Amino acid sequence: MTNEIKRRRFVGAGSGVALAAATGGLVQAPAARAAGARVAGAAGAAGAQATGVTVVPADSRYPDLTSGMNQRWQARPDKIVLPRTTAEVVTAVREAVSTSKRLSVVSGGHCFEDFVFNADIKINIKLSLMNQVTFDTAMNAFCVGGGATLLDVYEALYEGWGVTIPGGICHSVGVGGHITGGGFGNLSRQHGLTVDHLHAVEVVVVNADGSVRSVIAARDSADARLRDLFWAHTGGGGGSFGIVTRFWFRTPGATGGPESLLPKAPSEIYLTLANWPWEKVTQDGFSRLVTYWGKWLEQNNTAGTTAGSLYSWLLLNHRASGSLGAVVQLDASLPDAAAVLSDFLAGMDLALGLSSATRRSSGVLDSAYTTTKLQPWLRGTRYIGSISATQLDPTTRGIHKSSHLRTATPQRQIDAMYRNLTATESPSPFAGIVLSASGGRIASVSPTATAVAQRDAIMKTNFESLWYDTKDDAKNIAWVRNAFSEVYADTGGVPVPNGVTDGCYINYPDGDLSDPAFNTSAVPWHDLYWKGNYARLQQIKRAWDPRNVFQHRQSVRL
């Protein structure tokens, strides 16, 4: 695969505005790793002897803990608290409340905006030491600590029990922000969103009188207020209601032992990487590719079918990168998987007018522009999460904007994309527009059953640019803003919910949505994220965080 595709940032699903952690009747995975294994039993559980860590500015570790993946955002807190137990989170929050100091929480640190790291933060709670993945026999569900990364979860669940959750491809993303924002990835068209398999959360909350406690809120809690709190964490985003110190996962209606309580991970997957040189792409070819990709999703959107399970990312990189690309994944065990994948891949080449002699490899069509490998699932998951040099690079600066689409991309929007992607002056080699598939099993859930309102969207888009030097901030920010506003010019510069577009994705947060200079529509930022679900989120906010302790620029408002 070319250097151009390798260096693309394959953005997964994940805001790093974290919240999560562990205890109960815990059982280690049968295949638990040795020393230092993230599949831990005692460490981090309530009553464990190990204690958390506090880092202050004089500590040598401090510079490493004052920013996340996006180096545009920095903080200078009075202290950074790394708890190991829920009780220690309670203590840290109690201090923040009693001293009236602003706090923030980080799980993986991938938040695209400044919600975690900004000048107002005085106490930052970093959950990285709370990274256990266990089976809780008392809850009959898998328990995941708030500091766990997606790779921690994938490895522990798969190696121990052969199961998984349908999360994102960027495996260093923390579960906290990823899950609370809805969480999607390459298995989502086959198995739904991560929150469709969420059973319960433990949340540290602040009462009206300023007292701090932890509560467990489950999908089936007897108390309606607790059910509401659970619902808020199924897409309401992080940083609004409390600090989640544990996630429990069990698919609704699943019975039996641990091996049957979550989706089975595929034994093998077809993993395709496509690379089309920009020099061979005409404007008509570009238009046909984007149209074909969207129309295919419209026509192959049935949950439970092989085509309805195929997942794809279409990487519309700026011309300066040298190429366009795609990543496609499909469970190889599904009926006629090789044929379905081959037809889809051939259609993309043909749309571009770049059909070529083909050969068969692993039962799947290969062309001069696509390469398909048959991989064991976990190996493929590790691979796809690391093939981009910038994806795991903690020294980049970035800007991101998102949209959901309910139909194939309209021609006017495609034309605006093409103009910006072929502009003579490139802001960065890592600028572009990423289209990611949705639909399938995701669409089988009601838009009010969880806080994720955009259930019938067939794709997400991510307008992005990544760069390294502060002197390049202005031109990169301007390019993304201009591209986004031109694509959605007919709806006030943002993708308002209508028959075609359906708002924005909270895990790709965008501060500009709150700015009337960039959002000239009549739709406020919160309705772009949550549509009609926002009113219920506000009610839950008033019930569980009446003092507005947990807040950031786009947290749910009282």
Side-chain angles (χ1 to χ4, degrees):
M1 121 181 257
T2 67
N3 288 335
E4 287 79 16
I5 293 294
K6 283 183 179 178
R7 70 192 187 202
R8 282 293 305 153
R9 179 181 178 91
F10 298 108
V11 178
S15 162
V17 189
L19 309 176
T23 85
L26 303 178
V27 176
Q28 276 190 280
R33 282 154 284 171
R38 299 278 170 110
V39 190
Q49 293 183 352
T51 58
V53 175
T54 298
V55 173
V56 296
D59 194 300
S60 62
R61 293 167 289 187
Y62 186 83
D64 257 328
L65 303 176
T66 55
S67 64
M69 291 292 287
N70 189 344
Q71 291 303 296
R72 285 180 65 199
W73 315 124
Q74 306 282 333
R76 295 289 299 177
D78 296 342
K79 64 170 62 176
I80 300 151
V81 179
L82 292 88
R84 297 184 190 272
T85 69
T86 298
E88 290 175 348
V89 176
V90 170
T91 298
V93 173
R94 185 176 293 128
E95 177 187 352
V97 172
S98 65
T99 58
S100 299
K101 291 184 175 182
R102 281 286 298 277
L103 63 79
S104 68
V105 187
V106 60
S107 178
H110 283 256
C111 186
F112 290 160
E113 279 289 352
D114 67 346
F115 299 166
V116 174
F117 299 104
N118 61 67
D120 294 333
I121 301 304
K122 300 304 178 185
I123 297 178
N124 176 257
I125 301 174
K126 181 174 173 57
L127 301 177
S128 58
L129 301 182
M130 303 177 75
N131 56 11
Q132 303 78 23
V133 181
T134 60
F135 185 75
D136 186 332
T137 56
M139 293 283 280
N140 196 32
F142 294 93
C143 184
V144 176
T149 66
L150 291 178
L151 187 59
D152 293 334
V153 177
Y154 298 155
E155 289 181 341
L157 293 181
Y158 183 68
E159 292 173 356
W161 295 277
V163 299
T164 191
I165 58 172
I169 65 170
C170 185
H171 53 59
S172 64
V173 165
V175 296
H178 184 70
I179 303 301
T180 56
F184 81 105
N186 286 16
L187 291 175
S188 289
R189 276 169 55 83
Q190 186 173 357
H191 295 298
L193 300 177
T194 57
V195 293
D196 298 337
H197 304 275
L198 186 64
H199 174 66
V201 288
E202 179 179 61
V203 193
V204 172
V205 295
V206 180
N207 301 318
D209 62 2
S211 59
V212 184
R213 60 181 173 135
S214 65
V215 298
I216 293 177
R219 183 184 296 271
D220 58 358
S221 291
D223 186 329
R225 292 178 73 252
L226 288 172
R227 291 198 303 273
D228 279 347
L229 184 60
F230 169 83
W231 182 88
H233 289 88
T234 63
S240 286
F241 308 99
I243 300 177
V244 182
T245 51
R246 285 188 278 186
F247 292 98
W248 284 272
F249 292 95
R250 186 178 78 219
T251 303
T255 59
E259 294 82 0
S260 62
L261 297 180
L262 283 176
K264 282 284 186 185
S267 176
E268 292 182 310
I269 54 173
Y270 288 121
L271 188 58
T272 301
L273 304 177
N275 176 45
W276 301 286
W278 255 113
E279 63 189 25
K280 295 187 177 183
V281 177
T282 66
Q283 183 169 357
D284 285 345
F286 177 88
S287 177
R288 288 193 301 268
L289 173 65
V290 178
T291 299
Y292 166 80
W293 192 86
K295 289 291 186 183
W296 193 94
L297 291 175
E298 280 186 343
Q299 296 162 8
N300 296 275
N301 198 27
T302 303
T305 63
T306 299
S309 300
L310 182 146
Y311 203 88
S312 175
W313 302 76
L314 186 59
L315 309 173
L316 305 178
N317 309 326
H318 191 280
R319 184 184 288 275
S321 72
S323 64
L324 302 175
V327 179
V328 187
Q329 179 178 308
L330 182 61
D331 182 342
S333 71
L334 295 176
D336 300 319
V340 169
L341 177 57
S342 294
D343 288 346
F344 175 69
L345 298 177
M348 288 195 290
D349 277 1
L350 287 170
L352 283 164
L354 296 177
S355 58
S356 63
T358 60
R359 59 186 173 82
R360 291 278 171 177
S361 173
S362 302
V364 177
L365 189 68
D366 273 2
S367 76
Y369 308 103
T370 61
T371 301
T372 299
K373 295 181 179 180
L374 183 64
Q375 294 270 10
W377 174 76
L378 186 55
R379 185 177 305 161
T381 299
R382 290 173 177 143
Y383 172 67
I384 200 173
S386 60
I387 55 178
S388 166
T390 55
Q391 181 181 351
L392 303 178
D393 187 341
T395 67
T396 58
R397 305 168 71 80
I399 179 174
H400 305 263
K401 293 177 177 291
S402 71
S403 66
H404 292 86
L405 269 75
R406 304 174 72 186
T407 68
T409 308
Q411 187 61 50
R412 192 203 64 75
Q413 294 183 9
I414 296 175
D415 292 342
M417 289 178 178
Y418 184 84
R419 283 196 304 273
N420 283 275
L421 292 171
T422 57
T424 303
E425 186 174 346
S426 168
S428 163
F430 314 128
I433 304 169
V434 180
L435 310 184
S436 55
S438 192
R441 187 71 64 186
I442 297 171
S444 66
V445 176
S446 162
T448 58
T450 67
V452 178
Q454 295 88 357
R455 286 290 183 167
D456 65 354
I458 63 166
M459 73 175 85
K460 289 184 179 70
T461 69
N462 176 20
F463 292 65
E464 66 172 352
S465 190
L466 300 170
W467 64 97
Y468 291 94
D469 199 313
T470 55
K471 68 180 177 58
D472 295 325
D473 282 5
K475 67 179 181 180
N476 281 280
I477 294 169
W479 183 87
V480 172
R481 283 175 169 170
N482 186 70
F484 193 74
S485 64
E486 284 193 13
V487 169
Y488 303 114
D490 54 353
T491 52
V494 294
V496 301
N498 56 34
V500 176
T501 51
D502 204 21
C504 303
Y505 180 39
I506 186 57
N507 273 1
Y508 298 163
D510 175 10
D512 287 347
L513 298 178
S514 311
D515 189 335
F518 301 106
N519 177 6
T520 61
S521 77
V523 180
W525 62 269
H526 44 75
D527 287 356
L528 291 170
Y529 288 135
W530 296 296
K531 301 200 299 183
N533 286 340
Y534 185 63
R536 184 178 176 187
L537 289 170
Q538 283 189 292
Q539 291 174 354
I540 298 167
K541 172 76 170 180
R542 288 191 289 269
W544 288 99
D545 186 26
R547 298 167 66 99
N548 201 27
V549 171
F550 304 99
Q551 60 169 289
H552 53 72
R553 280 200 295 147
Q554 290 182 336
S555 55
V556 174
R557 301 293 191 249
L558 286 172

